[in-house]
Amino acid sequence: MEDFASLTAGRLAELIRAGDVSPVEVVRKSLERIEEYNGVVNAFVTVCRDEALAAAERAERALLSGAKVGPLHGVPIGVKDLDPVAGVRTTRASLLFADEVAPDTIECVDRLVRAGAIVVGKTNTPEFGFKATTDSALFGPASTPFNPAMNAGGSSGGSAAAVASGMVPLAQGSDAGGSLRVPGAFCGVFTMMTTFGRVAVPARPNAFRRLNPMVCYAPVARTVEDAVLGLDLMSGPHPRDPYSFPVGDTLASALTPSLQGMRIAYSPDLGGYPFEAEVEQLVRAALPAFKEAGAEVVEVDFRLPVPHAELTATWRRYLSLAHAESAEISRPMGLDFAGDERIDPAYRESVAVGASLSAVDFRLADLLRTQVLDTFESVFDEFDLIISPVNSIAGIPNDATRTTVGPTEVAGQGVDRFVGWSMTSPFNLIGSPAATVPVGLASNGVPVGLQIAARRHHDAAVVRGAAALQAQRPWQHLYEGLEGTLAACAKAMRADA
């Protein structure tokens, strides 16, 4: 188990089923790494040590009894602190819920647990997951382990940092505008937003479990195979989610290194986003890998129906409407999302914006969303995949004086500080699957991610593209110096203490 951090979830499960390692040994190793390195990256905000060890002991007894076990039997996972795990503190990174204990487990995580996974803790996120960096008044920032002075990204930043630093091989996250792909890119891991509805999210009549067709749930992993393993287990319909649907073939069936016959469109700016040259250069340098796998790659010059700033503003309107809805639903619970000063001022501002929007504003936003869909579908009429950078920038420093957000300018152009420096939200608007794949390190040591997107319900095409890139340009070497970085930072922190 000396190489625990480099073992995939799939490989750990194989070793456990073969009796080469025990679930207790594996979970203890995960907990040891959390204890050793969490102070560096702040990935976990709640550690379920006793519960996880008890689950590991039950998993061990099941093996010894010869019981049939699931594909993730004994494998430790992390769960984003926005989402409930029964009997575990679920704060949503808010001072309002600092001590709340969840009564049930979100369906996508429950499916992993039923497959044998063991939850070792809850991972860091911004308050209510409302921005693309991970920082809050309750827990502080999560850092990318590649450069702990830089933010992990958000809102699934804790999950991405936990996997990148080898604390767990798999962690759950969610994505409504880039919340999986943004931190996945900054932390050098693979993750994928699926077509909305592939992973069911049963609704509940409260402020945080309502139906939302823009949010998707998926695992974060160091390899495409691990993420796909988790996704296939999470996928499938549920009667309480009318957006969910039967998935048919597994995504594992798309794990092939060949892209023969596929046509790929590359856009360095995704129709108008400003970008840092260093980021685009690393993404462009990965394009030959797709050609080597058999695909035709064409650089395209398509334009969004509106400037990128207006597109981002439209996405923010949808987010603000959701925040305003949460504020209204929370009133009978005795909560005041709009006025409570314990809540992040930027979130309260978003609540106010959402409350001011009319039904006509909402329908006009839907019209623009349709125009965006039409623009991308015109490209998908000719190409199987669209490739772009994930983020326009090579990282965001953690802010020591206030909660970290993001830059207001990229390459001399103004951008929305919450997500305007990322090229992810257009795919949330149109419901297309999209993934982030590591392609190298920027000069500041922060990883850069390449985004692969496909037409709705063509999730397998995204997996094919990611698997081919992994086969042609493996990124495991990026982690080789990571252990030394984490160990040095942990030693320095102990010395300062």
Side-chain angles (χ1 to χ4, degrees), residues 100-334:
E100 181 166 293
V101 175
D104 60 2
T105 300
I106 190 169
E107 176 68 15
C108 61
V109 172
D110 195 45
R111 291 179 178 184
L112 297 180
V113 171
R114 294 200 299 267
I118 295 173
V119 177
V120 296
K122 304 298 293 296
T123 59
N124 205 350
T125 184
E127 188 168 24
F128 305 124
F130 85 104
K131 59 183 178 179
T133 48
T134 294
D135 198 352
S136 68
L138 183 58
F139 293 123
S143 300
T144 172
F146 289 85
N147 181 347
M150 307 293 282
N151 199 263
S155 62
S156 306
S159 288
V163 170
S165 55
M167 297 175 183
V168 287
L170 207 65
Q172 172 263 6
S174 56
D175 193 314
S179 286
L180 280 163
R181 289 158 290 154
V182 170
F186 283 155
C187 292
V189 292
F190 175 81
T191 187
M192 175 180 168
M193 177 185 76
T194 64
T195 297
F196 296 137
R198 186 179 187 94
V199 176
V201 187
R204 289 292 185 274
N206 63 43
F208 306 101
R209 302 281 292 283
R210 63 195 182 282
L211 298 172
N212 188 335
M214 288 183 62
V215 180
C216 109
Y217 294 78
V220 179
R222 283 192 175 192
T223 68
V224 180
E225 291 83 0
D226 265 6
V228 165
L229 171 61
L231 264 176
D232 279 340
L233 291 168
M234 283 183 172
S235 296
H238 190 284
R240 292 185 185 271
D241 182 358
Y243 296 105
S244 64
F245 54 85
V247 297
D249 292 341
T250 65
L251 291 177
S253 63
L255 290 169
T256 169
S258 173
L259 298 180
Q260 199 66 41
M262 294 188 75
R263 300 190 74 229
I264 296 175
Y266 172 63
S267 174
D269 64 356
L270 208 57
Y273 283 80
F275 55 82
E276 292 179 353
E278 182 181 25
V279 170
E280 198 274 334
Q281 288 166 4
L282 284 168
V283 172
R284 183 179 291 273
L287 297 182
F290 295 103
K291 297 179 182 178
E292 292 160 15
E296 177 187 2
V297 180
V298 179
E299 185 165 347
V300 297
D301 183 21
F302 69 95
R303 291 292 158 192
L304 296 168
V306 294
H308 70 88
E310 187 173 341
L311 180 69
T312 302
T314 298
W315 175 82
R316 288 285 303 279
R317 289 187 193 100
Y318 282 103
L319 198 65
S320 294
L321 284 165
H323 295 162
E325 181 186 8
S326 292
E328 289 301 315
I329 297 173
S330 70
R331 292 185 191 280
M333 304 176 194

Side-chain angles (χ1 to χ4, degrees), residues 192-195 431-435 452-459 462:
M192 175 180 168
M193 177 185 76
T194 64
T195 297
S432 281
I452 303 175
R455 179 171 264 161
R456 182 171 164 80
H457 294 294
H458 288 225
D459 305 63
V462 174

Side-chain angles (χ1 to χ4, degrees), residues 468-488:
L469 182 54
Q470 181 180 245
Q472 295 291 336
R473 298 285 191 279
W475 56 79
Q476 301 308 310
H477 66 280
L478 297 179
Y479 306 124
E480 290 175 359
L482 196 52
E483 194 74 15
T485 299
L486 288 168

